[in-house]
Amino acid sequence: MAMGKINQERREEILSAALRIAENGGLAAMSMRAIGAEVGLTPMALYGYFASKDELLDWLVGRVLQEVPLPDPEADWRERLLACARGARAAAHRYPRTFSVLLNRPVVLPEAMRVVDPLYGALMDAGIPHERVAGWERMFSTFVLGFAVSEVSGRFGEGNLGTRERRERLGPRELPAHHRLGEVLDLPVDWDAEFEEGLTRLVAMVEAEGTGPA
Amino acid sequence: MAMGKINQERREEILSAALRIAENGGLAAMSMRAIGAEVGLTPMALYGYFASKDELLDWLVGRVLQEVPLPDPEADWRERLLACARGARAAAHRYPRTFSVLLNRPVVLPEAMRVVDPLYGALMDAGIPHERVAGWERMFSTFVLGFAVSEVSGRFGEGNLGTRERRERLGPRELPAHHRLGEVLDLPVDWDAEFEEGLTRLVAMVEAEGTGPA
DNA sequence: ACCTGAACACCGTTCAAGT
DNA sequence: ACCTGAACACCGTTCAAGT
Protein backbone atom coordinates (compact mmCIF):
# COMPACT_ATOMS: atom_id res chain seq x y z
CA MET A 1 0.00 0.00 0.00
CA ALA A 2 2.75 2.47 0.97
CA MET A 3 0.15 4.72 2.53
CA GLY A 4 -0.11 6.69 5.70
CA LYS A 5 -3.09 6.65 8.03
CA ILE A 6 -6.26 5.65 6.35
CA ASN A 7 -9.80 5.83 7.51
CA GLN A 8 -10.39 2.53 9.33
CA GLU A 9 -14.10 3.09 9.66
CA ARG A 10 -14.39 3.54 5.92
CA ARG A 11 -12.48 0.32 5.38
CA GLU A 12 -14.92 -1.58 7.58
CA GLU A 13 -17.76 0.04 5.70
CA ILE A 14 -16.31 -1.14 2.39
CA LEU A 15 -15.87 -4.71 3.64
CA SER A 16 -19.41 -4.84 4.97
CA ALA A 17 -20.64 -3.57 1.61
CA ALA A 18 -18.65 -6.29 -0.16
CA LEU A 19 -20.13 -8.92 2.15
CA ARG A 20 -23.62 -7.60 1.49
CA ILE A 21 -23.14 -7.70 -2.27
CA ALA A 22 -21.72 -11.23 -2.18
CA GLU A 23 -24.70 -12.44 -0.15
CA ASN A 24 -27.28 -11.12 -2.55
CA GLY A 25 -25.97 -11.96 -5.98
CA GLY A 26 -23.10 -14.30 -5.17
CA LEU A 27 -19.36 -13.83 -5.07
CA ALA A 28 -19.26 -13.26 -8.84
CA ALA A 29 -21.39 -10.12 -8.42
CA MET A 30 -18.86 -8.67 -5.99
CA SER A 31 -16.94 -6.49 -8.45
CA MET A 32 -14.88 -3.48 -7.49
CA ARG A 33 -17.38 -1.38 -9.41
CA ALA A 34 -20.31 -2.85 -7.46
CA ILE A 35 -18.59 -2.41 -4.10
CA GLY A 36 -17.68 1.17 -4.96
CA ALA A 37 -21.25 1.98 -5.96
CA GLU A 38 -22.57 0.41 -2.73
CA VAL A 39 -20.53 2.82 -0.60
CA GLY A 40 -20.93 5.77 -2.97
CA LEU A 41 -17.41 5.75 -4.39
CA THR A 42 -15.67 5.33 -7.69
CA PRO A 43 -14.16 1.84 -8.03
CA MET A 44 -10.78 3.53 -8.12
CA ALA A 45 -11.24 5.02 -4.67
CA LEU A 46 -11.13 1.48 -3.22
CA TYR A 47 -7.48 1.24 -4.18
CA GLY A 48 -6.78 3.77 -1.47
CA TYR A 49 -7.87 1.13 1.07
CA PHE A 50 -6.79 -2.14 -0.56
CA ALA A 51 -3.86 -2.69 -2.90
CA SER A 52 -5.90 -5.05 -5.07
CA LYS A 53 -9.11 -7.04 -5.14
CA ASP A 54 -7.12 -10.01 -3.92
CA GLU A 55 -6.09 -8.08 -0.82
CA LEU A 56 -9.68 -7.00 -0.31
CA LEU A 57 -10.65 -10.68 -0.31
CA ASP A 58 -8.02 -11.38 2.35
CA TRP A 59 -9.56 -8.69 4.52
CA LEU A 60 -12.99 -10.14 3.80
CA VAL A 61 -11.84 -13.37 5.45
CA GLY A 62 -11.19 -11.27 8.55
CA ARG A 63 -14.59 -9.60 8.23
CA VAL A 64 -16.31 -13.00 8.18
CA LEU A 65 -14.21 -14.24 11.10
CA GLN A 66 -15.46 -11.26 13.12
CA GLU A 67 -18.88 -12.88 12.92
CA VAL A 68 -17.68 -15.90 14.87
CA PRO A 69 -18.42 -15.15 18.54
CA LEU A 70 -15.79 -15.79 21.21
CA PRO A 71 -16.76 -18.26 23.95
CA ASP A 72 -17.21 -17.34 27.59
CA PRO A 73 -13.72 -17.81 29.11
CA GLU A 74 -15.27 -18.85 32.44
CA ALA A 75 -17.04 -21.84 30.91
CA ASP A 76 -15.88 -25.45 30.99
CA TRP A 77 -13.41 -26.29 28.18
CA ARG A 78 -16.02 -28.58 26.61
CA GLU A 79 -18.54 -25.76 26.48
CA ARG A 80 -15.95 -23.46 24.93
CA LEU A 81 -15.13 -25.93 22.15
CA LEU A 82 -18.82 -26.45 21.41
CA ALA A 83 -19.53 -22.71 21.44
CA CYS A 84 -16.75 -22.02 18.92
CA ALA A 85 -17.94 -24.78 16.62
CA ARG A 86 -21.60 -23.79 16.75
CA GLY A 87 -20.73 -20.14 16.33
CA ALA A 88 -18.69 -20.85 13.21
CA ARG A 89 -21.43 -22.99 11.70
CA ALA A 90 -24.01 -20.31 12.48
CA ALA A 91 -21.84 -17.76 10.65
CA ALA A 92 -21.76 -20.09 7.65
CA HIS A 93 -25.55 -20.20 7.62
CA ARG A 94 -25.70 -16.44 7.93
CA TYR A 95 -23.26 -15.91 5.04
CA PRO A 96 -23.70 -19.01 2.88
CA ARG A 97 -22.31 -17.50 -0.32
CA THR A 98 -19.24 -15.93 1.26
CA PHE A 99 -18.24 -18.40 3.94
CA SER A 100 -16.18 -20.63 1.67
CA VAL A 101 -13.49 -17.95 1.37
CA LEU A 102 -12.33 -19.19 4.79
CA LEU A 103 -11.24 -22.52 3.33
CA ASN A 104 -9.96 -21.17 0.03
CA ARG A 105 -7.56 -18.48 1.12
CA PRO A 106 -4.43 -18.64 3.25
CA VAL A 107 -5.27 -17.14 6.60
CA VAL A 108 -2.64 -14.71 7.76
CA LEU A 109 -4.70 -12.33 9.81
CA PRO A 110 -4.89 -11.25 13.45
CA GLU A 111 -8.62 -12.05 13.30
CA ALA A 112 -7.79 -15.69 12.60
CA MET A 113 -5.59 -15.84 15.68
CA ARG A 114 -8.31 -14.19 17.73
CA VAL A 115 -10.64 -17.09 16.84
CA VAL A 116 -8.01 -19.80 17.22
CA ASP A 117 -6.77 -18.58 20.61
CA PRO A 118 -9.77 -19.77 22.67
CA LEU A 119 -9.50 -23.14 20.97
CA TYR A 120 -5.87 -23.43 22.04
CA GLY A 121 -6.92 -22.40 25.54
CA ALA A 122 -9.70 -24.99 25.72
CA LEU A 123 -7.43 -27.75 24.44
CA MET A 124 -4.76 -26.90 27.01
CA ASP A 125 -7.36 -26.90 29.77
CA ALA A 126 -8.48 -30.32 28.54
CA GLY A 127 -4.99 -31.52 29.33
CA ILE A 128 -3.71 -31.95 25.78
CA PRO A 129 0.13 -31.88 25.77
CA HIS A 130 1.33 -28.51 24.51
CA GLU A 131 3.11 -29.85 21.46
CA ARG A 132 -0.13 -31.50 20.30
CA VAL A 133 -2.49 -28.55 20.79
CA ALA A 134 -2.00 -27.04 17.34
CA GLY A 135 -2.63 -30.40 15.66
CA TRP A 136 -5.88 -30.87 17.59
CA GLU A 137 -6.97 -27.38 16.69
CA ARG A 138 -6.42 -28.20 13.01
CA MET A 139 -8.48 -31.39 13.32
CA PHE A 140 -11.25 -29.54 15.09
CA SER A 141 -11.44 -26.56 12.76
CA THR A 142 -11.08 -28.76 9.68
CA PHE A 143 -14.16 -30.69 10.75
CA VAL A 144 -16.14 -27.56 11.59
CA LEU A 145 -15.18 -25.59 8.48
CA GLY A 146 -15.37 -28.63 6.20
CA PHE A 147 -18.83 -29.54 7.43
CA ALA A 148 -20.12 -25.97 7.30
CA VAL A 149 -18.73 -25.28 3.83
CA SER A 150 -20.05 -28.59 2.50
CA GLU A 151 -23.48 -27.73 3.85
CA VAL A 152 -23.72 -24.26 2.38
CA SER A 153 -21.96 -25.06 -0.91
CA GLY A 154 -24.44 -27.86 -1.55
CA ARG A 155 -21.78 -30.57 -1.63
CA PHE A 156 -23.89 -32.67 0.74
CA GLY A 157 -26.78 -32.50 -1.74
CA GLU A 158 -29.75 -30.20 -1.68
CA GLY A 159 -32.19 -32.36 0.23
CA ASN A 160 -31.45 -35.39 -1.93
CA LEU A 161 -33.84 -34.28 -4.67
CA GLY A 162 -33.26 -36.26 -7.82
CA THR A 163 -30.70 -38.49 -6.13
CA ARG A 164 -32.82 -41.57 -6.69
CA GLU A 165 -33.23 -41.09 -10.42
CA ARG A 166 -29.57 -40.29 -10.90
CA ARG A 167 -28.73 -43.45 -8.98
CA GLU A 168 -30.90 -45.55 -11.20
CA ARG A 169 -29.42 -44.12 -14.36
CA LEU A 170 -26.17 -45.93 -13.57
CA GLY A 171 -27.37 -49.36 -12.50
CA PRO A 172 -26.14 -51.86 -9.91
CA ARG A 173 -23.09 -52.84 -11.91
CA GLU A 174 -21.48 -49.41 -11.69
CA LEU A 175 -22.85 -48.51 -8.25
CA PRO A 176 -23.23 -51.77 -6.33
CA ALA A 177 -23.15 -50.21 -2.87
CA HIS A 178 -25.68 -47.50 -3.78
CA HIS A 179 -28.08 -50.17 -4.95
CA ARG A 180 -27.53 -52.37 -1.92
CA LEU A 181 -28.43 -49.40 0.26
CA GLY A 182 -31.39 -48.49 -1.93
CA GLU A 183 -34.07 -46.22 -0.55
CA VAL A 184 -32.26 -45.66 2.75
CA LEU A 185 -30.28 -43.08 0.77
CA ASP A 186 -33.45 -41.07 0.22
CA LEU A 187 -34.17 -40.60 3.93
CA PRO A 188 -34.19 -36.96 5.06
CA VAL A 189 -31.12 -35.83 6.97
CA ASP A 190 -31.06 -33.94 10.27
CA TRP A 191 -28.01 -31.76 9.67
CA ASP A 192 -28.02 -30.27 13.14
CA ALA A 193 -27.95 -33.73 14.68
CA GLU A 194 -25.21 -34.90 12.33
CA PHE A 195 -23.03 -31.90 13.16
CA GLU A 196 -23.60 -32.34 16.89
CA GLU A 197 -22.75 -36.03 16.66
CA GLY A 198 -19.43 -35.26 15.00
CA LEU A 199 -18.71 -32.63 17.61
CA THR A 200 -19.53 -35.01 20.45
CA ARG A 201 -17.12 -37.57 19.03
CA LEU A 202 -14.37 -34.99 18.69
CA VAL A 203 -14.82 -33.73 22.25
CA ALA A 204 -14.76 -37.32 23.51
CA MET A 205 -11.50 -37.91 21.65
CA VAL A 206 -9.99 -34.76 23.15
CA GLU A 207 -11.10 -35.91 26.59
CA ALA A 208 -9.52 -39.32 26.04
CA GLU A 209 -6.17 -37.81 25.07
CA GLY A 210 -6.21 -35.14 27.75
CA THR A 211 -4.82 -35.81 31.18
CA GLY A 212 -7.32 -33.69 33.04
CA PRO A 213 -7.30 -29.91 33.70
CA ALA A 214 -3.85 -28.37 33.71
CA MET B 1 -27.17 -27.37 -24.68
CA ALA B 2 -29.98 -28.68 -26.94
CA MET B 3 -27.39 -30.48 -29.02
CA GLY B 4 -27.16 -33.89 -30.59
CA LYS B 5 -24.12 -36.11 -30.38
CA ILE B 6 -20.98 -34.34 -29.57
CA ASN B 7 -17.42 -35.47 -29.68
CA GLN B 8 -16.76 -36.95 -26.21
CA GLU B 9 -13.05 -37.26 -26.82
CA ARG B 10 -12.83 -33.61 -27.64
CA ARG B 11 -14.69 -32.76 -24.46
CA GLU B 12 -12.18 -34.72 -22.37
CA GLU B 13 -9.41 -32.97 -24.26
CA ILE B 14 -10.88 -29.58 -23.38
CA LEU B 15 -11.24 -30.45 -19.69
CA SER B 16 -7.68 -31.71 -19.51
CA ALA B 17 -6.54 -28.48 -21.13
CA ALA B 18 -8.52 -26.47 -18.57
CA LEU B 19 -6.94 -28.47 -15.74
CA ARG B 20 -3.49 -27.90 -17.20
CA ILE B 21 -4.03 -24.16 -17.47
CA ALA B 22 -5.38 -23.90 -13.93
CA GLU B 23 -2.35 -25.74 -12.54
CA ASN B 24 0.15 -23.44 -14.16
CA GLY B 25 -1.20 -19.97 -13.67
CA GLY B 26 -4.00 -20.59 -11.19
CA LEU B 27 -7.77 -20.79 -11.58
CA ALA B 28 -7.94 -17.12 -12.53
CA ALA B 29 -5.86 -17.82 -15.64
CA MET B 30 -8.37 -20.42 -16.79
CA SER B 31 -10.35 -18.23 -19.16
CA MET B 32 -12.45 -19.52 -22.03
CA ARG B 33 -10.03 -17.79 -24.36
CA ALA B 34 -7.03 -19.54 -22.77
CA ILE B 35 -8.70 -22.95 -22.84
CA GLY B 36 -9.68 -22.46 -26.47
CA ALA B 37 -6.15 -21.50 -27.44
CA GLU B 38 -4.75 -24.54 -25.59
CA VAL B 39 -6.78 -26.94 -27.73
CA GLY B 40 -6.48 -24.86 -30.91
CA LEU B 41 -10.03 -23.51 -30.95
CA THR B 42 -11.80 -20.20 -30.83
CA PRO B 43 -13.27 -19.52 -27.38
CA MET B 44 -16.68 -19.67 -28.98
CA ALA B 45 -16.17 -23.25 -30.15
CA LEU B 46 -16.19 -24.34 -26.47
CA TYR B 47 -19.86 -23.42 -26.25
CA GLY B 48 -20.56 -26.38 -28.47
CA TYR B 49 -19.38 -28.62 -25.62
CA PHE B 50 -20.43 -26.68 -22.52
CA ALA B 51 -23.39 -24.35 -22.14
CA SER B 52 -21.36 -21.91 -20.05
CA LYS B 53 -18.12 -21.58 -18.15
CA ASP B 54 -20.02 -22.55 -15.03
CA GLU B 55 -21.05 -25.84 -16.61
CA LEU B 56 -17.47 -26.39 -17.70
CA LEU B 57 -16.42 -26.00 -14.06
CA ASP B 58 -18.99 -28.60 -13.03
CA TRP B 59 -17.46 -31.03 -15.52
CA LEU B 60 -14.02 -30.10 -14.23
CA VAL B 61 -15.07 -31.43 -10.81
CA GLY B 62 -15.70 -34.74 -12.55
CA ARG B 63 -12.35 -34.53 -14.32
CA VAL B 64 -10.56 -34.09 -10.99
CA LEU B 65 -12.57 -36.92 -9.41
CA GLN B 66 -11.34 -39.20 -12.18
CA GLU B 67 -7.88 -38.76 -10.68
CA VAL B 68 -8.98 -40.40 -7.44
CA PRO B 69 -8.18 -44.11 -7.82
CA LEU B 70 -10.75 -46.75 -6.83
CA PRO B 71 -9.64 -49.20 -4.11
CA ASP B 72 -9.15 -52.92 -4.67
CA PRO B 73 -12.60 -54.44 -3.96
CA GLU B 74 -10.95 -57.61 -2.62
CA ALA B 75 -9.15 -55.76 0.15
CA ASP B 76 -10.23 -55.49 3.78
CA TRP B 77 -12.73 -52.65 4.37
CA ARG B 78 -10.11 -50.80 6.43
CA GLU B 79 -7.65 -50.92 3.55
CA ARG B 80 -10.33 -49.68 1.18
CA LEU B 81 -11.15 -46.67 3.37
CA LEU B 82 -7.48 -45.82 3.73
CA ALA B 83 -6.84 -46.20 0.00
CA CYS B 84 -9.70 -43.83 -0.88
CA ALA B 85 -8.50 -41.23 1.60
CA ARG B 86 -4.86 -41.39 0.54
CA GLY B 87 -5.82 -41.38 -3.14
CA ALA B 88 -7.92 -38.25 -2.69
CA ARG B 89 -5.16 -36.46 -0.78
CA ALA B 90 -2.62 -37.47 -3.44
CA ALA B 91 -4.89 -35.95 -6.11
CA ALA B 92 -4.99 -32.73 -4.09
CA HIS B 93 -1.20 -32.62 -4.07
CA ARG B 94 -1.11 -33.31 -7.80
CA TYR B 95 -3.63 -30.54 -8.56
CA PRO B 96 -3.17 -28.06 -5.71
CA ARG B 97 -4.66 -25.08 -7.51
CA THR B 98 -7.73 -26.85 -8.84
CA PHE B 99 -8.62 -29.29 -6.08
CA SER B 100 -10.69 -26.84 -4.05
CA VAL B 101 -13.42 -26.88 -6.70
CA LEU B 102 -14.48 -30.17 -5.08
CA LEU B 103 -15.53 -28.39 -1.90
CA ASN B 104 -16.93 -25.29 -3.55
CA ARG B 105 -19.35 -26.67 -6.07
CA PRO B 106 -22.43 -28.83 -5.61
CA VAL B 107 -21.55 -32.31 -6.79
CA VAL B 108 -24.21 -33.78 -9.03
CA LEU B 109 -22.13 -36.01 -11.22
CA PRO B 110 -21.89 -39.73 -11.92
CA GLU B 111 -18.16 -39.42 -11.23
CA ALA B 112 -18.91 -38.36 -7.65
CA MET B 113 -21.05 -41.47 -7.11
CA ARG B 114 -18.32 -43.60 -8.61
CA VAL B 115 -15.95 -42.36 -5.88
CA VAL B 116 -18.52 -42.53 -3.09
CA ASP B 117 -19.70 -46.05 -3.91
CA PRO B 118 -16.63 -47.91 -2.60
CA LEU B 119 -16.87 -45.88 0.60
CA TYR B 120 -20.48 -46.99 1.08
CA GLY B 121 -19.35 -50.55 0.38
CA ALA B 122 -16.52 -50.40 2.90
CA LEU B 123 -18.77 -48.90 5.59
CA MET B 124 -21.40 -51.60 5.07
CA ASP B 125 -18.73 -54.29 5.28
CA ALA B 126 -17.56 -52.69 8.52
CA GLY B 127 -21.01 -53.43 9.88
CA ILE B 128 -22.37 -49.87 9.97
CA PRO B 129 -26.20 -49.95 9.99
CA HIS B 130 -27.50 -49.08 6.53
CA GLU B 131 -29.32 -45.93 7.60
CA ARG B 132 -26.08 -44.57 9.03
CA VAL B 133 -23.77 -45.31 6.11
CA ALA B 134 -24.38 -42.03 4.27
CA GLY B 135 -23.70 -40.01 7.42
CA TRP B 136 -20.42 -41.81 8.03
CA GLU B 137 -19.41 -41.26 4.43
CA ARG B 138 -20.04 -37.53 4.88
CA MET B 139 -17.89 -37.45 8.04
CA PHE B 140 -15.13 -39.35 6.32
CA SER B 141 -15.04 -37.33 3.10
CA THR B 142 -15.43 -34.06 4.99
CA PHE B 143 -12.29 -34.87 6.96
CA VAL B 144 -10.36 -35.99 3.88
CA LEU B 145 -11.43 -33.10 1.62
CA GLY B 146 -11.23 -30.52 4.40
CA PHE B 147 -7.73 -31.57 5.35
CA ALA B 148 -6.51 -31.81 1.76
CA VAL B 149 -7.99 -28.45 0.75
CA SER B 150 -6.64 -26.77 3.88
CA GLU B 151 -3.19 -28.12 3.09
CA VAL B 152 -3.06 -27.01 -0.53
CA SER B 153 -4.85 -23.70 -0.03
CA GLY B 154 -2.35 -22.74 2.67
CA ARG B 155 -4.97 -22.44 5.40
CA PHE B 156 -2.75 -24.51 7.66
CA GLY B 157 0.07 -22.01 7.18
CA GLU B 158 2.99 -22.30 4.82
CA GLY B 159 5.53 -23.90 7.14
CA ASN B 160 4.77 -21.42 9.94
CA LEU B 161 7.11 -18.78 8.48
CA GLY B 162 6.50 -15.47 10.14
CA THR B 163 4.02 -16.94 12.59
CA ARG B 164 6.18 -16.01 15.54
CA GLU B 165 6.50 -12.35 14.66
CA ARG B 166 2.82 -12.02 13.89
CA ARG B 167 2.08 -13.64 17.26
CA GLU B 168 4.24 -11.16 19.07
CA ARG B 169 2.66 -8.20 17.37
CA LEU B 170 -0.53 -8.86 19.33
CA GLY B 171 0.77 -9.53 22.82
CA PRO B 172 -0.34 -11.89 25.60
CA ARG B 173 -3.42 -9.85 26.46
CA GLU B 174 -5.10 -10.47 23.10
CA LEU B 175 -3.69 -13.95 22.53
CA PRO B 176 -3.18 -15.52 25.97
CA ALA B 177 -3.21 -19.12 24.78
CA HIS B 178 -0.76 -18.45 21.93
CA HIS B 179 1.67 -16.96 24.41
CA ARG B 180 1.24 -19.76 26.93
CA LEU B 181 2.13 -22.22 24.16
CA GLY B 182 5.00 -20.06 22.96
CA GLU B 183 7.66 -21.61 20.78
CA VAL B 184 5.92 -24.99 20.62
CA LEU B 185 3.86 -23.33 17.89
CA ASP B 186 6.96 -22.92 15.76
CA LEU B 187 7.77 -26.64 15.66
CA PRO B 188 7.72 -28.14 12.16
CA VAL B 189 4.67 -30.22 11.30
CA ASP B 190 4.63 -33.69 9.75
CA TRP B 191 1.53 -33.39 7.59
CA ASP B 192 1.60 -37.01 6.45
CA ALA B 193 1.63 -38.17 10.06
CA GLU B 194 -1.13 -35.78 11.05
CA PHE B 195 -3.36 -36.95 8.19
CA GLU B 196 -2.69 -40.60 9.02
CA GLU B 197 -3.47 -40.00 12.66
CA GLY B 198 -6.83 -38.49 11.81
CA LEU B 199 -7.55 -41.39 9.48
CA THR B 200 -6.62 -43.94 12.11
CA ARG B 201 -9.00 -42.31 14.57
CA LEU B 202 -11.82 -42.31 12.03
CA VAL B 203 -11.30 -45.96 11.14
CA ALA B 204 -11.27 -46.84 14.84
CA MET B 205 -14.55 -45.00 15.30
CA VAL B 206 -16.09 -46.85 12.36
CA GLU B 207 -14.90 -50.12 13.83
CA ALA B 208 -16.41 -49.25 17.21
CA GLU B 209 -19.81 -48.51 15.70
CA GLY B 210 -19.76 -51.44 13.30
CA THR B 211 -21.02 -54.85 14.33
CA GLY B 212 -18.47 -56.82 12.34
CA PRO B 213 -18.56 -57.87 8.67
CA ALA B 214 -22.03 -58.06 7.13
C1' DA C 1 -5.31 12.46 2.48
C1' DC C 2 -8.68 11.23 -0.43
C1' DC C 3 -11.09 10.99 -4.70
C1' DT C 4 -12.26 11.20 -9.95
C1' DG C 5 -12.26 10.24 -15.26
C1' DA C 6 -10.43 8.42 -19.06
C1' DA C 7 -8.14 4.62 -20.85
C1' DC C 8 -6.05 -0.30 -21.39
C1' DA C 9 -6.08 -5.02 -21.71
C1' DC C 10 -8.75 -8.20 -20.58
C1' DC C 11 -13.41 -11.10 -19.49
C1' DG C 12 -17.95 -14.32 -20.67
C1' DT C 13 -21.31 -14.52 -24.00
C1' DT C 14 -24.75 -13.47 -28.16
C1' DC C 15 -25.50 -13.47 -32.82
C1' DA C 16 -25.13 -14.10 -37.63
C1' DA C 17 -22.56 -16.46 -40.78
C1' DG C 18 -19.71 -20.05 -42.82
C1' DT C 19 -18.66 -25.37 -44.17
C1' DA D 1 -22.19 -31.12 -36.76
C1' DC D 2 -18.82 -28.09 -35.88
C1' DC D 3 -16.42 -23.78 -36.09
C1' DT D 4 -15.32 -18.55 -36.84
C1' DG D 5 -15.40 -13.18 -36.41
C1' DA D 6 -17.25 -9.26 -34.94
C1' DA D 7 -19.53 -7.15 -31.33
C1' DC D 8 -21.58 -6.14 -26.45
C1' DA D 9 -21.48 -5.36 -21.80
C1' DC D 10 -18.74 -6.12 -18.53
C1' DC D 11 -14.03 -6.85 -15.64
C1' DG D 12 -9.44 -5.29 -12.63
C1' DT D 13 -6.12 -1.91 -12.81
C1' DT D 14 -2.79 2.20 -14.34
C1' DC D 15 -2.09 6.82 -14.78
C1' DA D 16 -2.51 11.66 -14.58
C1' DA D 17 -5.11 14.98 -12.50
C1' DG D 18 -7.92 17.32 -9.10
C1' DT D 19 -8.98 19.22 -3.93
Side-chain angles (χ1 to χ4, degrees), chain B:
Chain B
M1 290 266 58
M3 175 149 280
K5 280 179 172 295
I6 52 170
N7 193 332
Q8 294 279 357
E9 266 180 55
R10 188 72 121 163
R11 180 138 57 186
E12 291 301 319
E13 202 185 326
I14 293 168
L15 291 170
S16 295
L19 192 51
R20 215 154 46 231
I21 290 169
E23 282 307 320
N24 12 334
L27 269 174
M30 198 194 74
S31 68
M32 296 299 267
R33 282 163 166 87
I35 299 167
E38 181 84 4
V39 293
L41 286 176
T42 297
M44 280 319 302
L46 303 179
Y47 288 82
Y49 301 89
F50 310 95
S52 65
K53 187 181 184 180
D54 223 61
E55 197 187 290
L56 188 150
L57 278 166
D58 285 336
W59 284 79
L60 194 64
V61 173
R63 179 64 183 73
V64 173
L65 283 171
Q66 278 180 23
E67 301 281 328
V68 180
L70 297 186
D72 175 9
E74 304 296 323
D76 178 60
W77 66 263
R78 274 162 279 249
E79 290 303 323
R80 278 178 276 155
L81 284 184
L82 294 173
C84 288
R86 290 169 184 151
R89 180 165 174 255
H93 288 166
R94 208 146 10 131
Y95 303 105
R97 309 176 97 160
T98 319
F99 194 78
S100 63
V101 294
L102 293 197
L103 256 182
N104 283 320
R105 303 189 72 80
V107 176
V108 284
L109 299 161
E111 280 85 357
M113 292 182 175
R114 191 193 64 97
V115 173
V116 166
D117 202 76
L119 291 173
Y120 284 172
L123 291 166
M124 281 191 282
D125 291 351
I128 299 289
H130 283 200
E131 73 275 12
R132 292 185 44 81
V133 163
W136 272 105
E137 190 279 327
R138 282 189 289 269
M139 287 297 139
F140 192 81
S141 60
T142 296
F143 166 73
V144 172
L145 291 183
F147 192 96
V149 169
S150 295
E151 253 186 304
V152 299
S153 79
R155 190 182 74 84
F156 282 160
E158 321 262 10
N160 298 48
L161 281 148
T163 285
R164 185 201 178 90
E165 86 176 69
R166 272 190 280 114
R167 198 165 65 234
E168 280 164 2
R169 215 158 51 217
L170 271 101
R173 280 261 299 279
E174 292 95 336
L175 298 177
H178 280 79
H179 281 80
R180 272 175 71 197
L181 284 168
E183 53 205 6
V184 197
L185 291 174
D186 300 319
L187 292 173
V189 181
D190 183 338
W191 301 110
D192 289 358
E194 191 158 312
F195 183 71
E196 291 294 328
E197 190 190 313
L199 272 187
T200 302
R201 288 183 196 279
L202 272 168
V203 171
M205 278 164 34
V206 169
E207 189 151 28
E209 163 135 359
T211 56

Side-chain angles (χ1 to χ4, degrees), chain A residues 42-56:
Chain A
T42 296
M44 278 319 302
L46 303 179
Y47 288 83
Y49 301 89
F50 310 94
S52 64
K53 188 181 184 181
D54 223 61
E55 196 186 291
L56 188 149

